[in-house]
Amino acid sequence: MTKIEIPPDHPRRISLETREKIIDGHESHVVATAGLLAHGRGEAFDYLIGERTTEQAELAMQAAVAALLSAKHPVISVNGNACSLVPEALVELSEVCKAPLEINLFYYRKEREDAIRDALIDAGAKVVLGTQDRPSMNIPELSSNRRKVDVEGIGAADVVLVPLEDGDRTEALKAIGKFVITIDLNPMSRTAVYSDITIIDNIVRALPRMAEQAHVMKKIPKDELHQIVRSFNNSENIATAVRIIITHLERRVKDIVELRTKTNIGVSEK
Ligand code: ATP
Ligand code: MG
């Protein structure tokens, strides 16, 4: 529920509405306090890429959906922020790709696990893996609570989508041979760098788009899907994303100077 009235023409409307979702999620125990700060870091990078889905991100999403659809056992890892922002899209993507949802929390509290499970079920999920009552196993080389994974979920998965992930866990998942896909607005985070496919976009835009793509791409034969995944180059993808930020910033500098000149801002500085 949005508590503040955001004018429809407000230039930061979507960003503010997204913030309200995170705040609501915090109040209902879905989002950890540290999740509020992680969201702020994401917002800053969204600003740098121009708060839009780039063509490059669209290509990364296509490769990611191809990997999920052609996997033997794909799984989608869910944390509090992802759940508060895009619960319906998580459920939809999970259904189309036959990739179960697994809760995995950096800041574990039973209350949070229950709140996230309930939110996913409210959004239409039939099964939620990763809860404490489920059989679990440990990923080696990870000391936090998050080393625990569901035996029938990430434990058995070949392809894992880990949106808004922490670098340590991404490295640990890679170390045990998983094909890792992430959604992360920061192209320089360890997660972005270590993943096999990095979607550099806001999860609020990316996940609904991926669900849409999955509906169309599920008709593509498996060998063609494998080919889409093989021809995706994540080093180029990340490098392009950083260049997009640089170009965007250069354009912004021009716009700012032009605006200030046109409106005579800064005349008194001389
Ligand atoms: P890493 O551990 O991978 O080096 P980090 O420590 O900088 O990254 P974390 O807090 O561990 O960051 O992970 C959160 C990541 O999620 C950040 O890179 C942040 O940019 C990203 N993020 C936050 N909100 C969103 C969002 N709405 N959409 C996409 N990415 C987001
Ligand atoms: Mg981190």
Side-chain angles (χ1 to χ4, degrees), residues 159-230:
V159 174
V160 199
L161 170 61
V162 286
L164 326 186
E165 186 57 86
D166 175 59
D168 283 357
R169 187 158 179 263
T170 308
E171 280 192 55
L173 290 171
K174 281 305 304 162
I176 56 167
K178 308 292 178 192
F179 186 93
V180 177
I181 304 166
T182 195
I183 301 170
D184 192 328
L185 276 159
N186 177 3
M188 290 161 286
S189 75
R190 284 173 307 152
T191 299
V193 170
Y194 278 92
S195 293
D196 294 285
I197 300 177
T198 304
I199 298 160
I200 299 154
D201 197 10
N202 198 321
I203 193 171
V204 302
R205 296 187 296 267
L207 251 220
R209 177 69 190 128
M210 287 169 77
E212 248 172 52
Q213 286 176 332
H215 281 292
V216 178
M217 290 175 68
K218 70 180 180 193
K219 292 161 202 132
I220 300 177
K222 280 229 167 153
D223 52 338
E224 273 181 49
L225 291 173
H226 284 304
Q227 189 48 43
I228 296 174
V229 179
R230 270 198 302 272

Side-chain angles (χ1 to χ4, degrees), residues 12-130:
R12 302 243 83 72
R13 185 177 58 82
I14 296 174
S15 170
L16 292 178
E17 283 171 357
T18 308
R19 243 184 222 185
E20 288 296 310
K21 282 191 193 167
I22 284 280
I23 295 168
D24 287 345
H26 187 244
E27 282 168 8
S28 61
H29 307 291
V30 166
V31 172
T33 304
L36 300 175
L37 303 170
H39 182 75
R41 182 172 296 166
E43 275 186 345
F45 277 97
D46 206 10
Y47 208 98
L48 298 185
I49 67 170
E51 293 174 309
R52 75 213 151 96
T53 298
T54 64
E55 272 172 42
Q56 190 59 36
E58 180 81 16
L59 291 175
M61 284 185 234
Q62 244 170 45
V65 170
L68 289 169
L69 285 170
S70 60
K72 286 196 185 74
H73 191 0
V75 172
I76 302 174
S77 180
V78 180
N79 65 12
N81 285 41
C83 173
S84 77
L85 293 176
V86 284
E88 285 88 9
L90 282 168
V91 173
E92 198 181 339
L93 185 67
S94 160
E95 275 175 10
V96 194
C97 296
K98 300 190 177 51
L101 299 172
E102 173 166 341
I103 300 177
N104 189 274
L105 305 177
F106 198 91
Y107 299 95
Y108 181 83
R109 277 191 6 236
K110 176 81 173 83
E111 196 181 28
R112 280 192 69 218
E113 176 185 298
D114 292 348
I116 293 173
R117 189 205 49 219
D118 293 351
L120 291 174
I121 288 171
D122 279 354
K126 290 179 193 78
V127 186
V128 178
L129 304 180

